[in-house]
Amino acid sequence: MKLNFAKRMSYIKASEIREILKVTEQEDVISFAGGLPAPELFPIDEINEINQIVLKEAGTKALQYTTTEGYAPLREWIANRMNERLGTAFDKDNILITHGSQQGLDLSGKVFLDEGDVVLCESPTYLAAISAFKAYGCSFIEIPTDEDGMMMDVLEEILSNTPHLKLIYAIPTFQNPTGKTWSLERRRKLAELSAKYGVAVIEDNPYGELRFGGESLPSIKSFDEAGNILCTGSFSKIFCPGFRIGWIAGDKDIIRKYVLVKQGTDLQCNTIAQMTIAEYLKRYDIDKHIAKIVEVYRKRRNVAIESIERYFPDTIKFTRPEGGLFTWIELPEGISARDVLVRSLEKKIAFVPGGSFYPNGNKENTLRINYSNMPEDKIEKGLKTLGEVVKEYISQSE
Amino acid sequence: MKLNFAKRMSYIKASEIREILKVTEQEDVISFAGGLPAPELFPIDEINEINQIVLKEAGTKALQYTTTEGYAPLREWIANRMNERLGTAFDKDNILITHGSQQGLDLSGKVFLDEGDVVLCESPTYLAAISAFKAYGCSFIEIPTDEDGMMMDVLEEILSNTPHLKLIYAIPTFQNPTGKTWSLERRRKLAELSAKYGVAVIEDNPYGELRFGGESLPSIKSFDEAGNILCTGSFSKIFCPGFRIGWIAGDKDIIRKYVLVKQGTDLQCNTIAQMTIAEYLKRYDIDKHIAKIVEVYRKRRNVAIESIERYFPDTIKFTRPEGGLFTWIELPEGISARDVLVRSLEKKIAFVPGGSFYPNGNKENTLRINYSNMPEDKIEKGLKTLGEVVKEYISQSE
């Protein structure tokens, strides 16, 4: 007899990005497809030094099981950092260490979602958040966004008349995939609506520390009087992703639920990775390190923006992100980015078509460009070729 | 308005073990409660050396994102090891690296279970497997076991007349919590029944390498002609748990489903931990390292067994495990191990009452004793005191 799988297996699909990334593993492909940080900026020597210290001074502890909640000094640092930067009022018991911020999304699904529940999200939104939540049997309602973030009038209308609403998912700073940042007013308003309608918010913030200019904004959580808002964060983009250390932060009674759920999911995160990061944060100035990353990415962003301006047709629209890893291009209506990808791959240029970032599927005329993981000359060369492909394709479609 | 959580949150409870472990963090408590490996046996110096090599030779790779499937050389090693030791026929594409073997259980729940499905398990079974599966809304039917493993006649009866059966969960070697090992005949029979009734088997094997004597047995998987059996494994007990590196192995089309599900759950496991283990396995003889662990645990097991024989009343039953970390004590009927725990904690002795290991709750007269994480003199001292507490409690209950 054949095996029966869970119903969710019929709608969990391979990540289009991961599939494209496999194609682009060849050396000579210029890929704007990933979301990888620049590896030449990883603090390898410092990690090597600190790893040795941790193993020598506390090797048995670093290699043993630890608590589900995570390493206390690291949780303390995160709480303080968020309080300083994001206007929160956390202590270590507000923080659960997760296996990357991706696990924060998975655990949020587990804590909040039953089959048939509804998640609200920006349109478009982070691809792997869609996968994470979908595994719990939810559907999505996409809320349109403009330059200031989610459209609050549409959001409130949907909040007021949709049953089984459980979660609002938002990436208010340097959003993936669009690179957009929400205004202060929208942040405040979302917190207000979350309280009014009793719906939890997952405020995902993996890129917030990577600001190239402009002014930092307080988190949505900082306006949360009801205790309904959870924040995720990550060391992947400011330190290194290979350690898989992120966190979820929120009110203590909710975080305790996350801890219970994580216990059954994977017991705890990697002990030595947590201790190594905590020790690094004690011995080194991470702000100096982040400034170095920001400087490199700012230049790459600039080259990306200038190249799009120079080499793409005037009929496109695109984002000028103030930080983060991505810009977002809208091609003229009716132009399929998937078709463009087929042609650009022939010229060894890769990117992710935007369609996958819409949970209910539409807007095939969009594409995401990552600029963090490539030297400036390649960015220009790649976008020049891509711009030519786009121009050619558009002219042939007319 | 108040938030609504997922239904599962009403039945996910704190792990009793983790709660007891918190109590026992005081230095002077002798704890048989955990399942922790002996930290003095961790290869700290070797890990320190190899970490440096990995960071120097491949630092940017070791700290970057990698594939969801995991580091290929590590998956190759695991496939070969299983083929040699467990009679399987795997290559690297049969293996997915997981965040400890615990994640293999969680992902199994995600791949197979819908709300209302039924999981069959040994009675008693591993506590955290109950939590992992329960999160997907299943119920459990416990199959009684004897000295040779699950009772196959009862199992077949239930298989033949229970709807929504999806999984059979088994720990056939040095079972947690009982320390028992299944006979060859039962292994073969389970594979046969799994094929006949189209039910997947999760063969959990975190302790199999820690054999003190007797003959190694092939895995249940080695008898699997239908491709229905998945095997989990872990480096936690033979290397160190702090890295959180385990695996799940099975037929390729099923493992591909697990890969999809892991993508949305946490993208991938810690890169440098995978590379460090792979490099260790290349440069060092892990069999020599395992022999060292086995030698220490064998002595501790001996002391534990001798102490139970000497200090406990004749009216109890207990397991003489051929390997692994645990022995299991059955007190006379009507004697509650939870009551015994209250008294033993007063004397600074901790253990886990057996009741939690029964998903449907019964057999309160049982307890689990871990002997891997303590020197021999403490094992004897602790079990002497515990034996006296048990004797006293029984005599007062009469």
Side-chain angles (χ1 to χ4, degrees):
Chain A
M1 273 176 71
K2 281 190 72 182
L3 295 181
N4 291 313
F5 297 95
K7 274 185 284 179
R8 65 179 62 84
M9 297 314 295
S10 62
Y11 48 74
I12 293 182
K13 275 182 284 180
S15 152
E16 188 168 7
I17 296 184
R18 296 234 150 194
E19 297 310 307
I20 294 173
L21 286 178
K22 278 185 193 164
V23 179
T24 62
E25 267 168 9
Q26 300 146 269
E27 283 285 315
D28 55 344
V29 169
I30 298 183
S31 174
F32 301 102
L36 273 60
E40 66 272 23
L41 298 170
F42 296 155
I44 298 177
D45 293 340
E46 293 84 346
I47 290 174
N48 197 356
E49 179 205 342
I50 303 245
N51 249 334
Q52 291 174 53
I53 294 169
V54 168
L55 282 167
K56 266 177 200 149
E57 291 181 359
T60 53
K61 188 176 169 187
L63 301 174
Q64 185 60 288
Y65 287 110
T66 183
T67 61
T68 303
E69 289 83 350
Y71 185 55
L74 185 61
R75 290 156 62 217
E76 262 159 37
W77 185 91
I78 292 166
N80 291 334
R81 182 80 171 185
M82 292 185 77
N83 297 346
E84 279 165 27
R85 301 288 170 119
L86 298 169
T88 53
F90 288 146
D91 65 39
K92 73 171 174 32
D93 295 328
N94 294 101
I95 313 291
L96 166 67
I97 304 294
T98 56
H99 195 64
S101 60
Q102 183 71 28
Q103 190 185 33
L105 305 181
D106 174 57
L107 296 179
S108 298
K110 234 177 190 174
V111 166
F112 284 103
L113 298 177
D114 291 315
E115 204 181 328
D117 282 341
V118 176
V119 173
L120 305 185
C121 64
E122 293 157 289
S123 179
T125 190
Y126 171 48
L127 183 54
I130 303 172
S131 329
F133 297 141
K134 221 179 206 176
Y136 296 95
C138 68
S139 62
F140 295 87
I141 297 179
E142 300 173 39
I143 311 292
T145 59
D146 63 15
E147 293 315 302
D148 289 330
M150 230 182 227
M151 313 275 276
M152 288 296 136
D153 47 347
V154 183
L155 175 65
E156 179 152 22
E157 204 195 315
I158 287 169
L159 282 169
S160 68
N161 65 23
T162 310
H164 303 295
L165 264 187
K166 281 287 190 60
L167 282 185
I168 303 170
Y169 174 69
I171 314 156
T173 307
F174 318 139
Q175 202 234 14
N176 181 358
T178 64
K180 290 178 185 173
T181 294
W182 290 32
S183 69
L184 191 72
E185 201 32 63
R186 297 277 172 94
R187 290 167 192 246
R188 194 194 310 270
K189 184 73 184 174
L190 179 58
E192 190 191 307
L193 292 177
S194 149
K196 182 170 171 190
Y197 292 96
V199 176
V201 174
I202 309 298
E203 179 178 14
D204 196 4
N205 186 28
Y207 317 110
E209 297 264 7
L210 304 177
R211 177 172 279 283
F212 310 143
E215 209 183 318
S216 273
L217 292 171
S219 61
I220 301 172
K221 177 71 188 170
S222 68
F223 301 109
D224 176 25
E225 288 175 12
N228 287 354
I229 300 178
L230 283 301
C231 310
T232 72
S234 175
F235 287 101
S236 291
K237 306 302 188 285
I238 58 171
F239 192 69
C240 73
F243 276 7
R244 312 304 302 122
I245 299 293
W247 64 88
I248 187 146
D251 283 26
K252 289 177 190 179
D253 52 341
I254 304 182
I255 290 298
R256 273 194 295 272
K257 290 179 196 285
Y258 277 78
V259 172
L260 283 185
V261 155
K262 184 169 165 73
Q263 248 177 38
T265 300
D266 62 7
L267 302 182
Q268 57 152 101
C269 285
N270 183 306
T271 318
I272 184 169
Q274 296 183 64
M275 290 175 71
T276 299
I277 296 178
E279 197 63 29
Y280 174 92
L281 295 168
K282 216 163 75 184
R283 291 173 184 254
Y284 287 93
D285 181 356
I286 192 153
D287 289 319
K288 233 163 109 178
H289 179 64
I290 293 171
K292 217 168 80 182
I293 299 172
V294 163
E295 196 44 40
V296 172
Y297 289 2
R298 182 198 286 118
K299 286 185 194 152
R300 292 180 181 179
R301 188 264 329 245
N302 291 346
V303 172
I305 296 301
E306 285 157 20
S307 304
I308 294 170
E309 280 172 340
R310 185 172 315 157
Y311 301 115
F312 278 62
D314 293 343
T315 47
I316 66 144
K317 288 183 219 161
F318 65 98
T319 318
R320 292 160 201 273
E322 285 198 306
L325 311 184
F326 306 106
T327 182
W328 178 252
I329 297 179
E330 286 189 45
L331 304 174
E333 291 285 339
I335 300 297
S336 158
R338 285 178 217 264
D339 290 349
V340 173
L341 179 64
V342 172
R343 295 174 174 225
S344 77
L345 281 177
E346 283 166 16
K347 305 212 163 162
K348 310 248 181 204
I349 310 290
F351 61 85
V352 185
S356 320
F357 296 95
Y358 298 89
N360 303 320
N362 53 22
K363 297 282 263 177
E364 294 295 338
N365 63 323
T366 53
L367 55 112
R368 190 187 75 174
I369 296 292
N370 166 261
Y371 48 73
S372 59
N373 189 26
M374 230 183 312
E376 294 159 37
D377 57 335
K378 274 203 174 175
I379 295 176
E380 180 174 0
K381 188 175 164 215
L383 287 173
K384 182 166 185 263
T385 307
L386 183 56
E388 287 161 2
V389 170
V390 166
K391 276 183 186 163
E392 193 189 280
Y393 184 69
I394 291 178
S395 74
Q396 289 172 356
S397 306
E398 279 166 357
Chain B
M1 273 177 66
K2 283 190 68 181
L3 295 181
N4 291 314
F5 296 95
K7 275 184 283 179
R8 65 177 64 83
M9 296 315 294
S10 63
Y11 48 74
I12 293 183
K13 276 183 283 179
S15 151
E16 187 167 9
I17 296 184
R18 293 237 152 192
E19 298 309 307
I20 295 172
L21 285 178
K22 278 184 192 163
V23 179
T24 60
E25 267 168 9
Q26 301 146 271
E27 283 286 316
D28 56 345
V29 168
I30 297 182
S31 174
F32 300 102
L36 274 61
E40 68 271 23
L41 297 171
F42 296 155
I44 298 178
D45 292 340
E46 292 84 347
I47 290 174
N48 197 356
E49 179 206 341
I50 303 249
N51 249 333
Q52 292 174 52
I53 294 170
V54 168
L55 282 167
K56 268 177 201 150
E57 291 182 0
T60 53
K61 186 176 169 187
L63 301 174
Q64 185 61 288
Y65 287 110
T66 181
T67 60
T68 303
E69 289 83 350
Y71 186 55
L74 185 61
R75 290 156 62 217
E76 263 160 36
W77 185 90
I78 292 165
N80 290 335
R81 181 79 170 186
M82 292 185 77
N83 297 347
E84 278 165 26
R85 301 289 170 118
L86 298 168
T88 54
F90 289 145
D91 64 43
K92 76 172 172 32
D93 295 327
N94 294 101
I95 313 291
L96 166 67
I97 303 294
T98 57
H99 196 63
S101 61
Q102 183 70 28
Q103 191 185 35
L105 305 182
D106 175 58
L107 296 179
S108 298
K110 235 177 188 172
V111 167
F112 284 102
L113 297 178
D114 291 315
E115 205 182 327
D117 281 343
V118 177
V119 173
L120 305 186
C121 63
E122 293 157 289
S123 178
T125 190
Y126 171 50
L127 184 53
I130 303 173
S131 328
F133 296 141
K134 221 181 204 173
Y136 297 94
C138 67
S139 63
F140 294 87
I141 297 178
E142 300 172 40
I143 310 294
T145 59
D146 62 15
E147 293 314 303
D148 288 330
M150 228 181 230
M151 313 274 277
M152 289 296 135
D153 46 347
V154 183
L155 175 66
E156 179 152 22
E157 204 194 314
I158 287 169
L159 283 168
S160 67
N161 65 23
T162 310
H164 302 295
L165 265 187
K166 280 287 190 62
L167 282 185
I168 303 169
Y169 174 68
I171 314 156
T173 308
F174 318 138
Q175 202 237 15
N176 182 357
T178 63
K180 290 177 185 173
T181 295
W182 291 30
S183 67
L184 191 74
E185 200 32 61
R186 296 276 172 94
R187 291 167 191 246
R188 193 194 310 267
K189 183 74 184 175
L190 179 58
E192 188 191 309
L193 292 177
S194 150
K196 181 170 172 189
Y197 292 96
V199 176
V201 173
I202 310 297
E203 179 178 14
D204 196 4
N205 185 28
Y207 317 110
E209 296 264 8
L210 304 178
R211 175 172 282 281
F212 310 144
E215 209 182 320
S216 274
L217 292 171
S219 61
I220 300 171
K221 178 71 188 171
S222 69
F223 301 110
D224 176 25
E225 288 175 12
N228 288 353
I229 299 178
L230 283 303
C231 310
T232 73
S234 174
F235 287 101
S236 292
K237 307 302 188 284
I238 59 172
F239 192 68
C240 73
F243 276 6
R244 313 301 303 122
I245 299 293
W247 64 89
I248 188 145
D251 281 26
K252 289 176 190 177
D253 51 342
I254 304 182
I255 289 299
R256 273 195 295 271
K257 291 179 195 284
Y258 276 78
V259 172
L260 283 184
V261 155
K262 184 169 166 73
Q263 248 178 36
T265 300
D266 63 7
L267 303 182
Q268 57 153 104
C269 285
N270 184 305
T271 318
I272 183 171
Q274 295 182 65
M275 289 174 71
T276 300
I277 296 177
E279 196 63 29
Y280 173 91
L281 295 168
K282 216 163 74 183
R283 289 173 185 255
Y284 287 92
D285 181 356
I286 193 154
D287 288 319
K288 232 164 114 179
H289 178 62
I290 293 171
K292 216 167 80 181
I293 299 172
V294 163
E295 195 44 39
V296 172
Y297 290 2
R298 181 197 287 119
K299 284 186 194 153
R300 292 180 181 178
R301 189 263 330 244
N302 291 345
V303 172
I305 296 302
E306 284 157 20
S307 304
I308 293 169
E309 280 174 340
R310 185 172 314 158
Y311 300 116
F312 277 61
D314 293 343
T315 47
I316 65 147
K317 288 183 219 163
F318 66 99
T319 317
R320 293 159 199 274
E322 285 198 308
L325 311 184
F326 305 107
T327 182
W328 178 251
I329 298 179
E330 286 190 45
L331 305 173
E333 290 285 338
I335 300 297
S336 157
R338 284 178 217 265
D339 291 347
V340 172
L341 179 64
V342 172
R343 295 175 172 223
S344 77
L345 281 176
E346 284 166 15
K347 307 214 163 163
K348 310 250 184 201
I349 309 292
F351 62 85
V352 185
S356 319
F357 297 94
Y358 297 89
N360 302 320
N362 52 23
K363 296 283 263 177
E364 293 296 338
N365 63 323
T366 52
L367 56 110
R368 190 189 75 175
I369 296 293
N370 165 261
Y371 50 72
S372 59
N373 190 24
M374 230 183 310
E376 293 161 38
D377 56 337
K378 275 204 173 174
I379 295 176
E380 180 174 1
K381 189 175 163 215
L383 287 174
K384 181 166 184 264
T385 307
L386 184 56
E388 286 161 4
V389 170
V390 166
K391 276 183 185 162
E392 193 189 280
Y393 183 71
I394 292 179
S395 73
Q396 289 172 358
S397 305
E398 278 166 356

